[in-house]
Amino acid sequence: MNILRWMVVSALVPFALTACGSPPEPTRFDGTDTIVEQSASAAPPAGRAFDQARRVMGGAHISPDGRFEARVDADGRVEITSTAGGQFDWFDSGSGWGGMDFSPDGRFLAVGVFDSVILYDFTTKNPTAMHSQHLVKVRFSADSSYLVTEEFIEDRNGKFVLFDVRTGRRLTSPQPPYIEVQSDPGRIWWADELAVFDGGKHVVAAGDDGFLLWSTRGKTFEWVPCGCLPTSAAVDREARHVAFVIPEGEVSLWDVASRREISRWRLPKLDPTEGPSYAGADVMFTEDGKWLLTHFLEDGQVWSVSGGTQVGSWEGTNK
């Protein structure tokens, strides 16, 4: 979305919220497959937090305060630009491979590459390499104290690596249990998104078919299958909820603490010309974990996590 279009959308937000009326009271669920029917909304996403989450969902890497954006070019050069205009800084990562995440406190940018995680400090403008191998899917804890990553291994499930940001100390998980994707037999499971919580004591890895819990102190794993054959998953940064997109057009919301489904709601019906399912849809929580964004082809929706209600939508790119 370009700047002019965003200014127009922002100006329409108060009117859109008025049109939606007061949100309904949160529905209580007992863990059964309760389906919440939704009517499509013409309202745009309600505010900057939604726009930022949409851009991150589309592949952008943006600081929590929206001041900086980072990208890796084909030569492995990480360029950091200021949204106020102009280049802020750059450093050579040596590779174009790997994930990227800003720390919630805005101090660090983490970039996962083949042999390390590069931790860039905005206060000193210095990058520091914390060595490991084939790291992808990097993510900070909500308090910015820890960083969790996943190793990329072609023929088996990769291990997880937890870094203490302050000391640089590294903890590598045992070999995770073998998990085969039920909807795609023969393919090895990997995480769509990670979250580290409870002072670095636990890690959640959400992906196809369910989520994996790693107890870093006990060095044990627990596999929680969702039984709904999803094709995409997300976990909020504080690891309270995991959301799955089911190809038949549903979102399944799980409570991490109780390991059970607490809500399920329907996505808008697809145009028959666009395909039979939501396979490959994008899904992402906003930074505060209160809202969930879904996007497929040219249609996006914003959902209230507490009530499973649609509060906004948009058409076009999620970038």
Side-chain angles (χ1 to χ4, degrees), residues 107-108 117 119 121 128-131 140-141 143-147 161-171 199-200 217:
R107 180 176 176 180
F108 297 105
V117 170
L119 197 65
D121 190 333
T128 302
M130 300 187 296
H131 293 282
F140 284 95
S141 59
D143 63 2
S144 304
S145 297
Y146 296 92
L147 181 69
V161 184
L162 181 69
F163 292 96
D164 185 313
V165 174
R166 182 179 60 85
T167 65
R169 183 180 177 182
R170 181 185 67 198
L171 177 65
R217 298 291 176 86

Side-chain angles (χ1 to χ4, degrees), residues 69-73 75-81 87-96 99-102 107-113 116-122 125-129:
E69 184 168 345
R71 61 178 59 85
V72 182
D73 65 20
D75 297 323
R77 173 177 163 135
V78 179
E79 296 182 348
I80 304 172
T81 56
Q87 187 181 80
F88 176 79
D89 200 6
W90 69 274
F91 60 90
D92 188 3
S93 71
S95 171
M100 190 181 295
D101 191 31
F102 279 91
R107 180 176 176 180
F108 297 105
L109 170 68
V111 181
V113 296
S116 62
V117 170
I118 299 176
L119 197 65
Y120 176 86
D121 190 333
F122 277 82
K125 289 192 172 184
N126 287 330
T128 302

Side-chain angles (χ1 to χ4, degrees), residues 27 29 32-38 246 249-252 261-267 308:
T27 305
F29 295 92
T32 60
D33 293 344
T34 303
I35 305 298
V36 180
E37 294 284 357
Q38 295 296 333
I246 305 170
E250 296 173 0
V251 173
S252 175
E261 184 186 58
I262 57 173
S263 178
R264 192 184 284 209
W265 62 84
R266 292 194 188 280
L267 292 163

